[in-house]
């Protein structure tokens, strides 16, 4: 295990590369999830506004 | 054929299609990345010249391939958008750009981390490295141009033209290692004769490359669906699905 982590003396270069890739790809996934949440909230908000307008029209 | 094209182009149909296939792609992507990572880091033998440092190839080469692949997707979609004014193509291009930039950044950063122990330098103004850096600037320019217009359709058109002009950089990146005498090693996989890499090292690389491609597709589909929702928020199909709580 220790030998594996040492990467033949290249530990810093190898693990920084894999770590950086992991961080960037995680950020991509989180951002996709965030965008989806935003989109769903925006649709719900607009639907609520449309319903309110329709109700106001009916009560007039 | 044209009817099929037209149907796919409908935002509603694409939304549904992406919804069905994305989970399958995500599962396949996770398996490929997990197995590829294990085989690349643990099973593949040590390189006789570069020692263990060569293992950076398993993140560097897939990132570099994706940086060019995503750009080609953006350019292809931009052409379709400019010629047929197909909204879906524009949305796919817009959803892809940040990921293309991220992969280009990764290709440059991991390349730098590989170059330091092997070439003795973090950076060299060599043809491959410079053209890849230009690719990063093209992505940033594409996104900045889109954001710079009040009118989003005008921004989309301007950015699409930039994307098409920038395509000239792609063959330059690919052939840079042949056209110029560079520090960067020539291609070992994408040659017409047999690849100059042992099969036990090649298989994990191909698994990682396919895993990266699926990773992009899964996220691209998800982001495209989010953008479709925002654009189509006032249409009846989105309203109906919102009512059923099934967005």
């Amino acid at each position: 295990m220790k030998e594996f982590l040492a990467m033949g003396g290249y530990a810093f270069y190898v693990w920084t590369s894999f770590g950086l890739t992991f961080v960037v790809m995680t950020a991509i996934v989180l951002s996709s999830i965030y965008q989806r949440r935003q989109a769903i909230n925006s649709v719900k908000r607009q639907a609520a506004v449309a319903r309110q307008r329709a109700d106001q029209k009916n009560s007039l | 054929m044209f009817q099929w094209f037209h149907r796919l182009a409908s935002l509603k149909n694409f939304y549904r299609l992406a919804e069905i296939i994305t989970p399958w792609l995500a599962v396949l992507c996770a398996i490929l990345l997990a197995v590829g990572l294990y085989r690349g880091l643990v099973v593949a033998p040590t390189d006789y010249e570069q020692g263990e440092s060569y293992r950076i190839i398993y993140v560097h080469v897939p990132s570099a391939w994706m940086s060019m692949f995503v750009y080609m997707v953006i350019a292809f979609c931009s052409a379709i958008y400019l010629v047929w004014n197909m909204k879906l193509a524009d949305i796919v291009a817009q959803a892809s750009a940040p990921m293309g930039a991220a992969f280009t950044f990764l290709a440059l950063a991991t390349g730098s981390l590989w170059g330091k122990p092997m070439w003795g330098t973090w950076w060299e103004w060599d043809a491959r490295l410079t053209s890849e850096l230009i690719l990063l600037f093209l992505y940033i320019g594409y996104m900045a141009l889109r954001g710079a217009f009040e009118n989003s359709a005008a921004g989309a058109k301007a950015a699409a033209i930039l994307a098409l002009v920038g395509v000239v950089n792609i063959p330059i990146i690919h052939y840079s290692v042949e056209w110029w005498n560079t520090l960067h090693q020539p291609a070992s996989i994408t040659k017409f004769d047999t690849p100059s890499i042992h099969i036990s090292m090649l298989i994990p690389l191909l698994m990682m490359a396919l895993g990266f491609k699926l990773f992009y597709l899964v996220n691209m589909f998800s982001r495209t669906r989010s953008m479709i929702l925002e654009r189509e928020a006032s249409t009846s199909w989105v309203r109906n699905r919102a009512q059923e709580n099934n967005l």
Side-chain angles (χ1 to χ4, degrees):
Chain A
M1 190 64 192
K2 218 171 177 181
E3 198 186 342
F4 172 70
L5 288 176
M7 277 290 150
Y10 295 112
F12 170 75
Y13 303 104
V14 173
W15 296 122
T16 309
S17 293
F18 280 82
L20 201 60
T21 307
F22 180 77
V23 167
V24 168
M25 287 171 91
T26 306
I28 288 176
V29 171
L30 291 179
S31 158
S32 297
I33 294 170
Y34 176 75
Q35 283 179 31
R36 170 132 181 94
R37 279 205 195 136
Q38 290 276 308
I40 288 174
N41 286 340
S42 150
V43 166
K44 284 188 177 159
R45 216 171 27 242
Q46 287 184 48
V49 170
R51 247 196 320 274
Q52 244 173 17
R53 281 214 189 111
D55 288 349
Q56 269 171 0
K57 229 183 216 168
N58 288 341
S59 64
L60 275 175
Chain B
M1 164 71 195
F2 200 77
Q3 210 174 13
W4 173 84
F5 185 73
H6 204 76
R7 239 183 255 160
L8 183 72
S10 130
L11 297 181
K12 180 186 166 190
N13 290 338
F14 185 88
Y15 190 86
R16 183 84 192 107
L17 185 71
E19 179 179 29
I20 296 165
I21 59 177
T22 303
W24 297 98
L25 295 182
V27 169
L28 195 60
C29 168
I31 294 171
L32 279 168
L33 289 181
V35 178
L37 212 52
Y38 174 73
R39 295 198 57 155
L41 282 173
V42 182
V43 180
T46 306
D47 186 74
Y48 78 100
E49 257 182 10
Q50 303 200 353
E52 305 290 351
S53 78
Y54 93 93
R55 297 191 195 277
I56 294 174
I57 200 174
Y58 296 117
V59 284
H60 174 69
V61 168
S63 302
W65 281 348
M66 287 314 296
S67 72
M68 291 192 278
F69 177 77
V70 174
Y71 196 88
M72 290 312 292
V73 170
I74 293 175
F76 179 74
C77 287
S78 298
I80 291 179
Y81 177 61
L82 288 176
V83 176
W84 289 292
N85 207 17
M86 179 175 160
K87 262 196 266 170
L88 176 64
D90 179 50
I91 297 175
V92 168
Q94 188 184 4
S96 299
M99 283 186 278
F103 283 123
T104 311
F105 164 74
L106 279 180
L108 288 165
T110 58
S112 187
L113 282 159
W114 197 1
K116 183 63 184 165
M118 289 301 111
W119 304 335
T121 175
W122 296 104
W123 183 261
E124 193 61 49
W125 290 103
D126 118 330
R128 171 59 69 83
L129 278 64
T130 308
S131 53
E132 184 75 11
L133 184 64
I134 290 171
L135 185 66
L136 181 63
F137 293 155
L138 278 170
Y139 277 119
I140 294 171
Y142 177 87
M143 291 185 283
L145 198 54
R146 281 198 83 105
F149 283 77
E150 280 294 315
N151 174 345
S152 64
K157 289 249 157 76
I161 292 168
L162 173 70
L164 284 177
V165 173
V167 166
V168 71
N169 192 38
I170 295 294
I172 294 179
I173 297 175
H174 184 79
Y175 291 109
S176 58
V177 284
E178 290 173 26
W179 290 344
W180 290 281
N181 239 330
T182 66
L183 203 52
H184 195 285
Q185 62 179 1
S188 26
I189 322 291
T190 54
K191 313 192 293 190
F192 285 114
D193 46 2
T194 45
S196 56
I197 173 173
H198 192 263
I199 192 83
S200 60
M201 293 176 174
L202 179 64
I203 287 173
L205 181 59
L206 294 180
M207 292 178 92
M208 290 299 279
L210 190 60
F212 271 52
K213 195 161 281 174
L214 291 176
F215 177 86
Y216 157 69
L217 283 179
V218 166
N219 283 282
M220 187 270 276
F221 282 153
S222 163
R223 286 165 189 223
T224 302
R225 290 181 74 224
S226 303
M227 287 176 185
I228 288 175
L229 278 187
E230 304 238 12
R231 287 201 196 191
E232 302 273 277
S234 55
T235 60
S236 59
W237 73 270
V238 173
R239 284 277 154 80
N240 287 340
R241 290 189 66 146
Q243 217 145 41
E244 295 161 12
N245 236 335
N246 177 31
L247 282 171

